[in-house]
């Protein structure tokens, strides 16, 4: 394909570089082809770096889970108690029902009325919205486990509750505990759900109220129109929505899902919903949000049957969205929410509330060393990876574009392979680098030289970023990374993570 494109392009600018007759510039049309391929290389490099970081982060999470268990010493003090299960769930306040019809969609669709989704919450990492979530009890939010890949520290997370029906200010609550499913697999997104315990329970007098969990393992039949909602991207890789968007999508049969999505679908824990014609779907940033279906008897209420997990693109034909099957995990959910506080290790936030640490001590570091030996090498490995890949992880997705501005080929330097020495000037955002390489001046030789040029450009940006960072360098050790998807990532198949980010 690249060779075919290059054959259609005028390759050489007939004018030599000013003052340098033996040099020749590649024309703008060729630079555009190089820039497009370079941008794809950058995107692939960022996905690869994020994946490497996520793997170690999940290893740390699994290690922490292994370290938990009864019989360990615990600080003395009152732990949060879960209030009795609410009598009412899944009921919207009067006058707020406004789920759009089939033409509306989260991807480019209509905004929901304030208060229409009282159980929909927003998870924020260090103040930045990353994923959606669903209030399932006064102190518990259900969301996707992949949202916490690379950022499992509950001290960094807050939850913004539902806005009131008259636009009342939404309440923001700190997170006390994060409980990813112990069998979550970040490579396949198998068992992609997590419980989040709020530091303070939701008030019954407020706008937020929980959705209903399934009463048993049975699910609505294929063809049932269910509802999705969230603040995710308006289109694939686009900006997030400012207001909640909603849509109805039909549940699809396991056979239909398997034919559409292939081996990536795990029917035992995943279901899919959407239109095979495309156009209506959840997207990046909707991860962890709800898929609810209405149950009219004995009174109308919404029941949570799915958690937004991943998808292949957003609203593409033949690629419905994938959701974690909540009914399959009902017993695990109730077991976690009803567990006695004394049966758990204290969270970092609880430890800090009982025994404040010195200002220069990393939060809960003493707790990790005491209860989880062997964790420190993994944390050091994570810090090293984050520092090594910071040059690409810290570039916002909307600025991840390579721009080849000039390629000057030395016409007197032809090699036996038909390539010429060249100076290459390329930019990434406001960063500019210049490096030497070899380039072909015919379509076939240019296509052959392109992969090495792209690798050299990536290396040049990495070296330049590391050189800029060195003066303040190692002062912070680990750099903060952008979570599963910058905006909330939506994995592309269990990418990065396919998740409707990260």
């Amino acid at each position: 394909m690249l060779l075919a494109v290059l054959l259609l392009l005028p390759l050489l600018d007939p004018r030599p570089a000013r003052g340098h007759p033996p040099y020749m510039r590649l024309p703008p049309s060729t630079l555009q082809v190089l820039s497009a391929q370079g941008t794809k290389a950058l995107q692939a490099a960022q996905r690869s770096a994020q994946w490497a970081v996520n793997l170690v982060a999940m290893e740390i999470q699994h290690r922490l889970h292994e370290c938990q268990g009864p019989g360990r010493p615990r600080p003395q003090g009152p732990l949060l108690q879960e209030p009795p299960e609410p009598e009412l769930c899944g009921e919207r306040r009067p006058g707020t029902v406004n789920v759009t019809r089939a033409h509306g969609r989260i991807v480019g669709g209509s905004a929901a009325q304030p208060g229409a989704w009282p159980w929909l919450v927003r998870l924020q990492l260090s103040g930045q919205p990353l994923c959606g979530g669903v209030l399932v009890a006064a102190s518990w939010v259900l969301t996707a486990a992949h949202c916490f890949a690379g950022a499992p520290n509950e001290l960094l997370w807050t939850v913004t509750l539902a806005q009131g029906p008259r636009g009342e200010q939404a309440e923001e609550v700190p997170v006390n505990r994060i409980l990813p499913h112990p069998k979550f697999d970040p490579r396949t997104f198998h068992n992609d759900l997590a419980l989040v315990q709020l530091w303070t329970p939701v008030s019954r007098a407020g706008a937020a109220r929980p959705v209903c969990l399934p009463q048993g393992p049975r699910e609505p039949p294929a063809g049932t129109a269910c509802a999705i909602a969230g603040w995710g991207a308006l289109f694939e890789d686009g900006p997030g929505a400012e207001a909640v968007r909603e849509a109805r999508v039909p549940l699809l049969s396991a056979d239909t899902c398997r034919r559409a999505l292939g081996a990536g679908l795990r029917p035992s824990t995943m279901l899919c919903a959407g239109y095979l014609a495309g156009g209506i779907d959840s997207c990046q940033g909707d991860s962890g949000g709800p898929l609810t279906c209405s149950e009219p008897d004995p009174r109308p209420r919404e029941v949570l049957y799915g958690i937004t997990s991943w998808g292949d693109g957003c609203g593409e034909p033949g690629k419905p969205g994938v959701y974690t099957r909540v009914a399959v995990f009902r017993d695990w959910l109730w077991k976690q929410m009803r567990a006695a506080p004394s049966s758990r290790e204290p969270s970092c936030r609880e430890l800090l509330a009982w025994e404040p640490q010195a200002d220069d001590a990393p939060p809960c570091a003493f707790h990790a060393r005491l209860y989880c030996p062997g964790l420190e090498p993994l944390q050091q490995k994570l810090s090293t990876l984050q520092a090594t890949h910071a040059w690409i992880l810290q570039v916002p997705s909307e600025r991840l574009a390579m721009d080849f501005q000039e390629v000057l080929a030395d016409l007197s330097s032809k090699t036996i392979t038909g390539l010429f020495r060249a100076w290459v000037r390329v930019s990434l955002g406001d960063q500019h680098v210049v490096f030497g390489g070899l380039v072909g001046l015919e379509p076939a030789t240019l296509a052959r030289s392109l992969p090495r040029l792209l690798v050299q450009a990536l290396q040049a940006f990495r070296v330049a970023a590391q050189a800029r960072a060195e003066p303040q360098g190692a002062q912070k050790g680990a750099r903060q990374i952008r979570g599963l998807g910058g905006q909330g990532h939506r994995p592309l198949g269990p990418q990065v993570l396919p998740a409707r980010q990260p």
Side-chain angles (χ1 to χ4, degrees):
M1 175 62 74
L2 174 62
L3 181 58
V5 172
L6 292 173
L7 287 171
L8 299 176
L9 297 176
L11 192 58
L12 293 178
D13 187 333
R15 298 167 296 169
R18 183 175 298 177
H20 298 279
Y23 284 84
M24 192 68 71
R25 287 188 177 89
L26 296 192
S29 54
T30 303
L31 296 180
Q32 290 175 2
V33 173
L34 291 171
S35 298
Q37 295 299 315
T39 297
K40 291 182 179 179
L42 279 172
Q43 293 169 343
Q46 189 177 72
R47 288 195 298 268
S48 177
Q50 183 70 75
W51 187 241
V53 169
N54 286 345
L55 284 178
V56 179
M58 291 309 303
E59 190 176 355
I60 290 174
Q61 277 189 288
H62 293 159
R63 179 64 180 150
L64 285 170
H65 280 297
E66 290 173 0
C67 290
Q68 292 175 352
R72 302 184 186 277
R74 297 180 177 82
Q76 298 301 311
L79 287 165
L80 291 177
Q81 297 287 340
E82 173 67 15
E85 184 179 348
E87 296 178 3
L88 302 179
C89 65
E91 295 187 4
R92 291 187 170 93
R93 297 187 184 278
T96 60
V97 179
N98 183 41
V99 177
T100 58
R101 296 186 181 277
H103 64 274
R105 57 187 183 273
I106 299 182
V107 179
S110 303
Q113 290 184 5
W117 291 87
W119 40 83
L120 180 65
V121 305
R122 202 167 193 177
L123 276 69
Q124 298 173 138
L125 175 63
S126 299
Q128 296 299 314
L130 190 68
C131 281
V134 192
L135 189 69
V136 293
S139 293
W140 294 96
V141 166
L142 187 58
T143 185
H146 76 256
C147 293
F148 305 105
N153 186 349
E154 60 266 23
L155 298 178
L156 302 178
W157 291 87
T158 57
V159 170
T160 299
L161 303 177
Q163 189 181 40
R166 290 179 295 277
E168 297 92 334
Q169 181 66 36
E171 181 184 1
E172 188 172 345
V173 181
V175 166
N176 178 53
R177 190 184 307 277
I178 299 170
L179 299 175
H181 192 276
K183 293 185 178 180
F184 168 60
D185 188 338
R187 296 167 300 176
T188 63
F189 282 53
H190 198 41
N191 305 304
D192 186 18
L193 80 168
L195 273 169
V196 174
Q197 186 182 39
L198 304 179
W199 181 242
T200 55
V202 172
S203 169
R204 294 189 181 185
R209 58 175 60 183
V211 74
C212 299
L213 289 173
Q215 294 298 308
R218 297 188 62 182
E219 296 169 331
T224 301
C226 297
I228 55 176
W231 292 269
L234 304 178
F235 50 88
E236 186 174 358
D237 296 324
E242 294 183 3
V244 176
R245 292 180 180 268
E246 57 184 13
R248 285 199 184 278
V249 290
L251 300 182
L252 301 178
S253 69
D255 288 341
T256 300
C257 294
R258 195 181 292 108
R259 286 195 299 270
L261 299 163
L265 185 81
R266 301 292 185 90
S268 60
T269 63
M270 302 174 188
L271 58 83
C272 78
Y275 296 89
L276 295 181
I280 302 175
D281 200 3
S282 49
C283 202
Q284 293 101 333
D286 290 320
S287 284
L291 172 74
T292 64
C293 307
S294 298
E295 290 191 356
D297 297 325
R299 57 191 175 198
R301 63 179 194 158
E302 292 290 311
V303 180
L304 181 68
Y305 284 102
I307 291 292
T308 305
S309 181
W310 62 274
D312 191 354
C314 300
E316 294 187 7
K319 300 295 181 182
V322 181
Y323 304 82
T324 302
R325 296 175 60 189
V326 175
V328 173
F329 299 96
R330 184 179 180 278
D331 291 343
W332 179 80
L333 295 174
W334 284 120
K335 180 180 178 181
Q336 300 305 315
M337 291 191 291
R338 291 172 173 168
S342 59
S343 67
R344 302 186 192 278
E345 292 291 348
S347 69
C348 282
R349 197 174 295 280
E350 289 165 348
L351 285 168
L352 292 174
W354 296 321
E355 186 179 342
Q357 302 176 58
D359 291 340
D360 59 348
C364 296
F366 71 96
H367 177 60
R369 288 195 300 270
L370 178 62
Y371 294 136
C372 204
L375 189 63
E376 191 168 345
L378 286 175
Q379 292 172 328
Q380 291 174 348
K381 182 178 180 181
L382 179 62
S383 295
T384 300
L385 277 173
Q386 290 173 330
T388 300
H389 297 300
W391 72 275
I392 187 71
L393 291 174
Q394 292 182 335
V395 180
S397 58
E398 65 272 13
R399 298 181 59 192
L400 200 66
M402 190 179 292
D403 181 16
F404 277 81
Q405 297 175 324
E406 190 172 37
V407 177
L408 279 177
D410 180 354
L411 299 182
S412 65
S413 64
K414 189 173 184 179
T415 68
I416 59 174
T417 59
L419 304 180
F420 297 81
R421 288 196 297 271
W423 287 106
V424 182
R425 182 161 59 91
V426 60
S427 66
L428 170 58
D430 57 356
Q431 303 301 322
H432 303 268
V433 295
V434 177
F435 61 91
L438 293 174
V439 66
L441 297 183
E442 300 294 335
T445 55
L446 177 59
R448 192 170 73 245
S449 64
L450 176 59
R452 182 173 178 83
L453 278 182
L454 298 180
V455 170
Q456 288 178 300
L458 292 173
Q459 291 174 338
F461 284 122
R462 182 174 64 250
V463 170
Q466 291 172 344
R468 287 194 305 272
E470 269 192 31
Q472 50 273 63
Q475 63 192 2
K476 294 211 175 182
R479 292 178 173 83
Q480 179 183 342
I481 64 169
R482 301 179 184 274
L484 286 157
Q487 301 175 19
H489 194 161
R490 158 182 180 130
L492 296 178
Q495 98 230 305
V496 135
L497 293 220
R500 297 188 180 222
Q501 329 88 70

